[in-house]
């Protein structure tokens, strides 16, 4: 039986397949990953034991390659994979959010708040990525290579990055709730579908 005091982040780190299970229950294992399974379930009104049973998957999947990387290698991986994706998508989704709200806003007034929440998230994420690339990741690479970050305690910038993750996570959670789980209505066009798929993909990434 899975320990109900385990954090959501640790549970997914142990077996990445659990991410899908937690998503199905609406539990955030990324920005909210420091919460215990018991606490997170209680916040959502879920039976923690039932969630634990669903997470108890047979034959654990092999750990992803990034788990075996050193600190510097992990920073390189995040920047090459996730940051590249984010830089490619941030402006594209901004344009889609504005277009879809303009075209479909009369029939779906909730799209105005989706657009506003996305713009706020994008405006928060862009400087966040730059701070990681220019300040935090170079310090992590230096720490990994020599044992010194170059500017003292690395805990402060990490704490700042985590707080910013929480802000973006809350905005995406609100967009997901507003759209009923990024559902495309019957009268939604292809741009509407692309926006919903894009928002869901970015939140997951």
């Amino acid at each position: 039986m899975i320990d109900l005091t385990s954090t959501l982040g640790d549970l997914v780190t142990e077996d990445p397949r659990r991410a899908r299970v937690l998503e199905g229950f609406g539990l955030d294992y990324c920005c909210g990953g420091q919460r215990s399974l018991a606490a997170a379930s209680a916040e959502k009104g879920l039976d923690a034991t039932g969630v634990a049973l669903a997470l108890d998957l047979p034959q654990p999947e092999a750990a992803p390659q990034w788990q075996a990387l050193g600190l510097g290698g992990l920073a390189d991986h995040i920047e090459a994979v996730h940051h590249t994706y984010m830089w490619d998508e941030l402006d594209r989704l901004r344009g889609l959010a504005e277009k879809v709200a303009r075209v479909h806003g009369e029939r779906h007034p909730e799209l105005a708040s989706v657009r506003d929440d996305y713009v706020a998230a994008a405006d928060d994420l862009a400087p966040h990525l730059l701070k990681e690339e220019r300040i935090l990741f170079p310090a992590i690479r230096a720490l990994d290579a020599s044992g010194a970050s170059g500017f003292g305690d690395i805990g402060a910038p990490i704490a700042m990055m985590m707080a910013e993750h929480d802000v973006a996570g809350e905005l995406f959670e609100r967009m997901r709730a507003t759209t009923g789980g990024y559902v495309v209505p019957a009268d939604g066009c292809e741009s509407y579908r692309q926006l919903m798929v894009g928002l869901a993909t970015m939140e997951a990434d």
Side-chain angles (χ1 to χ4, degrees):
M1 174 61 73
I2 288 172
D3 185 350
L4 300 185
T5 65
S6 298
T7 68
L8 301 186
D10 286 344
L11 289 169
V12 172
T13 299
E14 290 170 3
D15 188 342
R17 295 176 300 168
R18 291 173 177 160
R20 295 279 186 182
V21 178
L22 292 173
E23 287 166 7
F25 284 106
L27 295 173
D28 177 12
Y29 54 85
C30 180
C31 299
Q34 296 306 309
R35 296 171 301 163
S36 70
L37 177 58
S41 298
E43 287 174 17
K44 286 282 187 178
L46 300 168
D47 173 33
T49 302
V51 178
L53 287 171
L55 290 168
D56 194 14
L57 303 170
Q59 299 176 344
E61 192 175 68
Q65 184 179 2
W66 55 262
Q67 285 190 17
L69 297 174
L71 292 175
L74 183 57
D76 292 342
H77 171 81
I78 292 170
E79 192 169 332
V81 177
H82 301 288
H83 281 210
T84 297
Y85 160 77
M86 292 296 289
W87 286 124
D88 287 344
E89 281 292 274
L90 281 174
D91 285 343
R92 186 183 80 89
L93 288 185
R94 185 191 294 265
L96 277 174
E98 292 171 348
K99 175 182 178 181
V100 171
R102 183 176 66 252
V103 174
H104 295 273
E106 186 174 341
R107 293 189 304 278
H108 300 282
E110 71 277 5
L111 289 171
S113 64
V114 172
R115 176 201 59 213
D116 292 346
D117 282 344
Y118 177 75
V119 169
D123 286 348
D124 182 72
L125 285 167
H128 173 88
L129 297 175
L130 285 174
K131 281 184 281 188
E132 286 187 338
E133 292 172 8
R134 296 177 180 177
I135 300 170
L136 181 60
F137 289 173
I140 287 174
R141 292 183 183 106
L143 185 66
D144 194 33
S146 67
S149 68
F151 59 75
D153 183 13
I154 203 169
I158 288 176
M160 181 183 294
M161 296 297 102
M162 291 177 69
E164 291 176 2
H165 269 261
D166 289 345
V167 170
E170 289 167 6
L171 287 165
F172 274 97
E173 186 173 350
R174 194 159 67 195
M175 285 185 277
R176 184 171 7 98
T178 301
T179 59
Y182 303 117
V183 171
V184 181
D187 61 346
C189 65
E190 180 59 20
S191 292
Y192 202 131
R193 191 185 75 81
Q194 287 293 326
L195 175 61
M196 295 299 105
V197 170
L199 291 174
T201 303
M202 183 172 285
E203 182 181 14
D205 187 83

